[in-house]
Amino acid sequence: MSIEEGKNVWLFPDGELPVPDENSDVEAHEALMILNTSNKDANIRLSFYFEDKDPIENIPQIVEARRVKCIRIDHPDEIGGVEIQKSIQYALRVESDVKITATFGRLDTSSEKMAFYTSAWHNY
Amino acid sequence: MSIEEGKNVWLFPDGELPVPDENSDVEAHEALMILNTSNKDANIRLSFYFEDKDPIENIPQIVEARRVKCIRIDHPDEIGGVEIQKSIQYALRVESDVKITATFGRLDTSSEKMAFYTSAWHNY
Amino acid sequence: MSIEEGKNVWLFPDGELPVPDENSDVEAHEALMILNTSNKDANIRLSFYFEDKDPIENIPQIVEARRVKCIRIDHPDEIGGVEIQKSIQYALRVESDVKITATFGRLDTSSEKMAFYTSAWHNY
Amino acid sequence: MSIEEGKNVWLFPDGELPVPDENSDVEAHEALMILNTSNKDANIRLSFYFEDKDPIENIPQIVEARRVKCIRIDHPDEIGGVEIQKSIQYALRVESDVKITATFGRLDTSSEKMAFYTSAWHNY
């Protein structure tokens, strides 16, 4: 609600889409959650970085004023048609015209087990 | 103990109340923990943000001086009667008149498994 | 190595010692890890905060120059004889005369499951 | 992409290489992920700190411009031939000539269970 609340850029260095496990009744995935507490819609651009090729940059997103949005990275239709390969290292950059708060998480269900993972981040 | 210790606003973008598992002997839940190291009681207001409706704002809380408090989000009586639906995306904003340190965590027991989750945050 | 590296105060709002599980071959616990990259020994004081009683303050610790130290919270002999009760909410404050980097983690093995938990933190 | 994006030094106080579990089909490990969103290759130096011996310092790494890199700590050939012992406490310091964003994570598969762990950090 304040002009100082949130940050314009969020960097998440550790993404790796888990392989779905057909025997699990919870669905392995990675997702980006963005909170916009301001009174203006946020125009956001996502960029994906890789180990051995150029980044895919500036996929547009909108997060409305006073809303949170969950974006599934394993659902190409939610990220402008981009298809991220399973089990490869990638990183995520989020840039917004209004200040936001973002988090990025993984739910892994490999091997009949289940685990959440929270990557470190930098924002500015 | 210092005037610089803690922050007045804490933002947690990723809440999603897990569905209780009747076969688990640990109880799935989400909770907000607030530490007040100052010598003054903290007057706090919680706000909940959603994907498709207006936020529920300014639920009052008090955390006494030199105490920690654990607030269960799945217990409506601990958050002013607000009932957060299970399995939907929400986000949490915490504002305090004295500087505090907050954390927000989930314990998920879906599918005969158990996992803790820590969301990223922003504070200022 | 730099005068700006690390912080003097670290606050961890979410501690709760897990109950040991005799059937697990990994040991449930909580621990504080402190990294001192400086060339001076760090004189540290730990304080424990609770929900319904006054804090236990200023338990002394030393972390030598250019060393990391792991302090088990479930081992009273490592924290000045203080015995923290299992399954109650507490919080931890770490103050050091030289700048350090600290982290606090839990390993829970309840219910034949295993999970790590990372609390949020504030430092200054 | 900006001059303010990322940090030059990252400190991770809690490393402990998990013992591999031959019965698990996911591989226990620890890894450091480094994101370089700048247009210059990053010249990086890794240092490892221990509880009872001097640090191993300044292992060189390069992360190319606009790339992410995953470095396995349990693979000596990826960290200049250094062999970190299993199940001992260590800490990690990352210094870079260009600003980067780093994260450090553990995947533990002890006891037929699976858990991710995220250490706290300091950067400057």
Side-chain angles (χ1 to χ4, degrees):
Chain A
M1 295 170 178
S2 151
I3 201 167
E4 300 176 84
E5 185 165 322
K7 293 279 183 179
N8 292 99
V9 175
W10 290 80
L11 298 162
F12 300 99
D14 189 14
E16 186 185 319
L17 277 182
V19 177
D21 173 5
E22 295 183 2
N23 297 316
S24 176
D25 50 352
V26 287
E27 193 179 13
H29 66 273
E30 288 184 317
L32 173 70
M33 277 62 61
I34 301 176
L35 172 60
N36 178 7
T37 57
S38 81
N39 292 314
K40 285 172 119 172
D41 292 355
N43 293 288
I44 290 168
R45 291 176 181 279
L46 305 185
S47 297
F48 296 90
Y49 289 81
F50 304 96
E51 289 203 294
D52 50 13
K53 59 179 177 184
D54 282 343
I56 299 172
E57 294 177 292
N58 298 322
I59 312 293
Q61 295 281 342
I62 291 174
V63 181
E64 289 175 67
R66 305 172 79 221
R67 293 289 183 274
V68 60
K69 186 173 185 179
C70 173
I71 299 163
R72 287 279 293 261
I73 310 301
D74 53 323
H75 291 178
D77 58 308
E78 297 187 29
I79 51 170
V82 172
E83 191 152 350
I84 304 293
Q85 214 181 313
K86 303 285 185 294
S87 298
I88 63 152
Q89 181 72 46
Y90 73 92
L92 191 51
R93 183 183 190 275
V94 183
E95 181 164 352
S96 173
D97 60 350
V98 303
K99 290 182 180 178
I100 54 166
T101 302
T103 193
F104 172 79
R106 182 189 310 158
L107 172 57
D108 193 306
T109 58
S110 310
S111 197
E112 305 180 46
K113 290 145 184 175
M114 169 179 166
F116 286 109
Y117 175 65
T118 300
S119 167
W121 63 89
H122 179 66
N123 55 34
Y124 84 97
Chain B
M1 296 171 178
S2 150
I3 201 169
E4 301 176 83
E5 185 165 324
K7 293 280 183 177
N8 293 98
V9 174
W10 290 79
L11 297 162
F12 300 100
D14 189 13
E16 186 185 318
L17 278 183
V19 177
D21 173 3
E22 295 183 1
N23 297 318
S24 176
D25 50 351
V26 287
E27 192 179 12
H29 66 274
E30 288 184 316
L32 174 70
M33 276 62 61
I34 300 176
L35 171 60
N36 178 6
T37 58
S38 81
N39 292 314
K40 285 172 120 172
D41 292 354
N43 294 288
I44 290 167
R45 292 178 179 280
L46 305 185
S47 298
F48 295 90
Y49 289 80
F50 304 97
E51 288 202 295
D52 50 12
K53 59 179 176 184
D54 282 343
I56 299 172
E57 295 177 291
N58 298 323
I59 312 293
Q61 296 281 343
I62 291 174
V63 180
E64 289 175 66
R66 305 171 81 219
R67 294 287 183 276
V68 62
K69 185 173 184 179
C70 173
I71 299 163
R72 287 279 293 262
I73 309 300
D74 53 324
H75 290 178
D77 59 307
E78 297 187 30
I79 52 171
V82 172
E83 191 152 349
I84 304 293
Q85 214 182 312
K86 303 284 185 295
S87 299
I88 63 152
Q89 181 73 46
Y90 72 93
L92 191 52
R93 184 183 190 274
V94 183
E95 181 163 353
S96 173
D97 60 350
V98 304
K99 290 183 180 179
I100 54 166
T101 302
T103 193
F104 172 79
R106 183 189 309 159
L107 172 56
D108 193 307
T109 59
S110 311
S111 197
E112 304 180 46
K113 291 145 183 173
M114 169 179 165
F116 287 108
Y117 176 65
T118 301
S119 167
W121 63 88
H122 179 65
N123 55 35
Y124 84 97
Chain C
M1 295 169 177
S2 150
I3 200 169
E4 301 175 82
E5 185 166 322
K7 293 280 181 176
N8 293 98
V9 175
W10 290 79
L11 298 162
F12 300 100
D14 190 13
E16 185 185 318
L17 278 183
V19 177
D21 172 4
E22 295 183 1
N23 297 316
S24 176
D25 50 352
V26 287
E27 194 180 12
H29 66 275
E30 289 185 315
L32 174 70
M33 276 62 61
I34 300 176
L35 172 60
N36 178 6
T37 57
S38 82
N39 291 315
K40 286 173 117 172
D41 292 354
N43 294 288
I44 290 168
R45 292 177 180 279
L46 304 186
S47 298
F48 295 90
Y49 289 80
F50 305 96
E51 288 202 294
D52 50 11
K53 59 180 176 184
D54 281 344
I56 298 171
E57 295 177 290
N58 298 323
I59 312 294
Q61 296 281 342
I62 291 174
V63 180
E64 289 175 67
R66 306 172 80 219
R67 293 289 183 275
V68 62
K69 185 173 184 179
C70 172
I71 299 163
R72 285 280 293 261
I73 308 301
D74 53 324
H75 291 177
D77 59 306
E78 297 187 29
I79 52 170
V82 172
E83 191 152 348
I84 304 292
Q85 214 181 311
K86 303 285 186 295
S87 299
I88 63 153
Q89 181 72 46
Y90 72 94
L92 192 51
R93 184 184 189 275
V94 182
E95 180 163 352
S96 173
D97 61 348
V98 305
K99 289 183 180 178
I100 55 167
T101 303
T103 193
F104 172 79
R106 182 189 311 159
L107 172 56
D108 192 306
T109 58
S110 310
S111 196
E112 304 180 46
K113 292 145 182 174
M114 169 178 164
F116 287 109
Y117 176 65
T118 302
S119 168
W121 64 89
H122 179 65
N123 55 35
Y124 84 97
Chain D
M1 295 168 178
S2 151
I3 201 169
E4 300 175 83
E5 186 165 322
K7 294 279 182 178
N8 292 100
V9 174
W10 290 80
L11 298 162
F12 300 99
D14 189 14
E16 185 185 319
L17 277 182
V19 177
D21 172 4
E22 296 183 0
N23 298 317
S24 176
D25 49 352
V26 287
E27 193 180 11
H29 66 275
E30 289 184 316
L32 174 70
M33 276 64 59
I34 300 176
L35 171 61
N36 178 5
T37 57
S38 82
N39 292 315
K40 286 172 118 172
D41 292 354
N43 294 287
I44 290 168
R45 291 176 181 280
L46 304 185
S47 298
F48 295 90
Y49 289 81
F50 304 96
E51 288 202 293
D52 50 11
K53 59 180 177 184
D54 282 343
I56 299 172
E57 294 177 292
N58 297 323
I59 312 294
Q61 295 281 342
I62 290 174
V63 180
E64 289 174 67
R66 305 172 81 218
R67 292 289 184 275
V68 61
K69 185 173 185 179
C70 172
I71 300 162
R72 287 280 291 260
I73 309 301
D74 54 323
H75 290 178
D77 59 307
E78 297 186 29
I79 52 170
V82 171
E83 190 152 349
I84 305 293
Q85 214 182 311
K86 302 286 186 294
S87 299
I88 63 153
Q89 181 72 46
Y90 72 93
L92 191 50
R93 183 183 189 276
V94 182
E95 181 164 352
S96 173
D97 61 349
V98 304
K99 290 183 180 178
I100 54 167
T101 302
T103 193
F104 172 79
R106 182 190 309 158
L107 172 56
D108 193 306
T109 58
S110 310
S111 195
E112 302 181 46
K113 292 144 184 175
M114 169 179 166
F116 287 109
Y117 176 65
T118 300
S119 168
W121 64 88
H122 179 65
N123 54 36
Y124 84 97

